[in-house]
Amino acid sequence: MMKAKSKKWKYTLISICSVSFVVLVWYLCINVLHLKAETVFPGPLTVVKTFIQKLYTKAPDGATLPVHLISSLKVALLGYFLGVLFGVPVGIMMAWSKWVDRLVRPLFDLIRPVPGLAWIPMFILLFGIGITSKAAVIFLSTAVACIVNSYTGIRQTKEEHLWVGDVFGATNIQKLFRIAIPTALPMIFTGLRVAMGAAWMALVAAELLAASEGLGYMIQQGRYSSKPALVFVGMLMIGIVGLVLDTVLHYLERKVAKGMNAE
């Protein structure tokens, strides 16, 4: 137990050192060697100062950083959860049932190559620039990732394990929930994590094109007003929120896997 904790702290320390090294190089290049002017590429101190100011300042985009963050989170999580609730069951059923696969696959194969960003103009025309259009784009991006990974996970279930279920008289539903889904769990959670990245990418792209608040809108306004530090603050917040959400998903994966194994 102590050895595992020691290894965990070791990896944490390595991660902190790697991030610190990048920040140090960034500081040396901009603030010491002056390889680029801060009006073009801001240094870390300027970004931190802008971050603090943006917590209570509305200029130049009309809202504070918390307002932008809450706006983006609200839309991202709405579209994400709807995409997960739709995509995971559809992916599982496509892999488990040949009839569902034959029914859904032609339409899915037609939609899957189209990037979520390509739907933005269509959804803006249909729903306007409000929350619905952005949530719809995120829903599509999330659902595709969840369907692909859930489908792959179920298809990787070994025939030998299903035969053992047949020997013990398990029904089709029991084999699905007791054998196939637990086996596919790592792939399903991988899909959830990939979908989270796709959700943020779609959201920021949608906010860059049509929004009145949100992190993507803030980044766009920072570019228009020639404030690269503000652009960096928006990018930093997206990275931090993405890291936190990915950590939560990783924690849930371990808890669910542990619960499955306990059963």
Side-chain angles (χ1 to χ4, degrees):
M1 185 71 177
M2 291 296 294
K3 187 176 180 180
K5 286 186 177 180
S6 176
K7 185 179 289 187
K8 182 179 179 181
W9 278 109
K10 179 181 177 181
Y11 288 143
T12 302
L13 182 61
I14 292 173
S15 300
I16 293 173
C17 288
S18 66
V19 173
S20 300
F21 176 75
V22 171
V23 174
L24 178 61
V25 172
W26 180 12
Y27 174 78
L28 290 174
C29 290
I30 303 301
N31 297 99
V32 178
L33 300 176
H34 303 290
L35 298 180
K36 278 288 184 181
E38 290 213 57
T39 54
V40 177
F41 198 99
L45 296 180
T46 304
V47 172
V48 171
K49 181 181 177 181
T50 303
F51 174 83
I52 295 172
Q53 290 177 342
K54 196 59 187 166
L55 292 174
Y56 57 85
T57 304
K58 292 184 178 182
D61 44 73
T64 61
L65 181 59
V67 171
H68 287 306
L69 178 59
I70 291 171
S71 175
S72 290
L73 273 175
K74 181 171 62 177
V75 181
L77 293 180
L78 173 62
Y80 176 77
F81 283 123
L82 290 175
V84 169
L85 290 175
F86 175 81
V88 172
V90 169
I92 291 173
M93 292 311 299
M94 283 176 63
W96 192 250
S97 170
K98 290 182 179 179
W99 288 105
V100 175
D101 191 31
R102 289 170 182 169
L103 180 66
V104 177
R105 177 174 287 279
L107 181 60
F108 178 69
D109 285 343
L110 183 65
I111 293 175
R112 182 177 60 174
V114 181
L117 307 185
W119 292 94
I120 294 175
M122 179 62 68
F123 286 141
I124 290 176
L125 288 174
L126 289 173
F127 306 117
I129 64 171
I131 187 174
T132 305
S133 58
K134 293 188 281 289
V137 174
I138 296 168
F139 166 80
L140 269 180
S141 301
T142 300
V144 168
C146 289
I147 289 173
V148 170
N149 283 270
S150 300
Y151 180 90
T152 304
I154 296 295
R155 296 291 290 180
Q156 287 178 349
T157 305
K158 293 183 178 179
E159 288 291 338
E160 292 85 351
H161 294 168
L162 298 176
W163 292 340
V164 171
D166 291 331
V167 169
F168 283 95
T171 64
N172 204 38
I173 295 296
Q174 287 174 330
K175 286 188 291 183
L176 174 62
F177 283 94
R178 296 283 182 158
I179 300 173
I181 291 180
T183 301
L185 209 56
M187 282 298 299
I188 292 174
F189 270 96
T190 298
L192 297 182
R193 296 167 76 175
V194 171
M196 181 60 72
W200 275 103
M201 181 175 67
L203 172 67
V204 172
E207 288 179 342
L208 285 172
L209 290 175
S212 57
E213 60 183 22
L215 294 175
Y217 175 76
M218 187 182 77
I219 290 172
Q220 185 79 307
Q221 294 304 307
R223 184 175 73 88
Y224 286 154
S225 56
S226 299
K227 294 182 181 294
L230 189 60
V231 175
F232 270 75
V233 169
M235 293 167 60
L236 182 65
M237 284 307 304
I238 291 170
I240 291 173
V241 172
L243 176 62
V244 170
L245 294 175
D246 187 74
T247 302
V248 170
L249 287 174
H250 186 59
Y251 173 79
L252 290 175
E253 180 181 2
R254 288 185 304 179
K255 287 295 183 182
V256 172
K258 187 176 180 180
M260 289 281 192
N261 292 332
E263 291 180 2

